């Protein structure tokens, strides 16, 4: 039989946007940035029980230059805010941010001058995961929602966004 077998006549047609977003969705490399108690929940999300490897997130990257997803877990102090911003700026485009927990999202119970009242004041946030601290299942849900968002993005919109960041 060998070479004489009939080759199927099926073809896959898609747009470049859809193909690129499909690849990005399934190969996010997170930069874990644990600042407080939410970091323990974030670390447990990356343990074997939840198996984020099936979503393309094998390991947390040790360097912002190797990551495209920043998970800010916990309260951000005013002294730490410039460091978070610098790490975000060092990440290559396209990049996404998940704000994990009440403290990272809005300051939580720490309504004072020493704690930043939401990480979105210094960097753009794509997904907010509520809770104090949020359970690993909640972070997993946030990651899945981010993947849905990435799948719907258009390359043209992203290029315009990068142009605004650079200028």
């Amino acid at each position: 039989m060998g070479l004489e077998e009939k080759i199927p006549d099926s073809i896959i047609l898609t747009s470049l946007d859809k193909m690129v977003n499909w690849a990005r969705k399934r190969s996010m490399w997170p930069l874990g940035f644990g600042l407080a108690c939410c970091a323990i929940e974030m670390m447990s999300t990356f343990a074997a029980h939840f198996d984020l490897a099936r979503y393309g997130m094998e390991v947390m990257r040790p360097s912002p230059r190797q990551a495209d997803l920043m998970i800010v877990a916990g309260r951000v102090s005013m002294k730490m805010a410039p460091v978070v911003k610098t790490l975000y700026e060092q990440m290559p485009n396209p990049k996404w941010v998940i704000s994990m927990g009440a403290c990272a999202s809005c300051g939580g119970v720490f309504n004072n001058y020493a704690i930043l009242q939401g990480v979105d004041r210094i960097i753009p946030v794509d997904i907010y995961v509520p809770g104090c601290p949020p359970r690993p299942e909640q972070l997993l849900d946030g990651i899945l929602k981010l993947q849905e968002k990435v799948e719907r993005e258009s390359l043209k919109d992203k290029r315009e966004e990068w142009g605004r960041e650079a200028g």
Side-chain angles (χ1 to χ4, degrees), residues 85-102:
K85 186 170 175 69
T86 301
L87 289 172
Y88 176 79
E89 290 170 351
Q90 290 177 349
M91 292 170 60
N93 285 323
K95 52 191 168 190
W96 300 277
V97 177
I98 292 178
S99 176
M100 181 180 175

Side-chain angles (χ1 to χ4, degrees), residues 73-139:
R75 62 188 175 271
V76 180
S77 67
M78 293 304 237
K79 283 187 174 184
M80 200 59 169
V83 176
V84 173
K85 186 170 175 69
T86 301
L87 289 172
Y88 176 79
E89 290 170 351
Q90 290 177 349
M91 292 170 60
N93 285 323
K95 52 191 168 190
W96 300 277
V97 177
I98 292 178
S99 176
M100 181 180 175
C103 294
S105 298
C106 65
V109 297
F110 303 99
N111 188 12
N112 61 44
Y113 66 91
I115 302 298
L116 186 67
Q117 300 300 303
V119 74
D120 57 355
R121 295 181 180 216
I122 56 170
I123 59 175
V125 174
D126 296 291
I127 300 289
Y128 294 90
V129 177
C132 183
R135 298 267 314 137
E137 295 88 0
Q138 288 173 274
L139 178 57

Side-chain angles (χ1 to χ4, degrees), residues 18-46:
K18 286 182 182 178
M19 187 176 67
V20 169
N21 289 342
W22 177 85
R24 283 186 181 144
K25 172 185 171 181
R26 288 162 177 79
S27 64
M28 286 187 179
W29 289 5
L31 170 69
F33 203 72
L35 297 165
C37 45
C38 289
I40 301 302
E41 299 296 326
M42 178 182 62
M43 286 183 247
S44 64
T45 305
F46 283 84

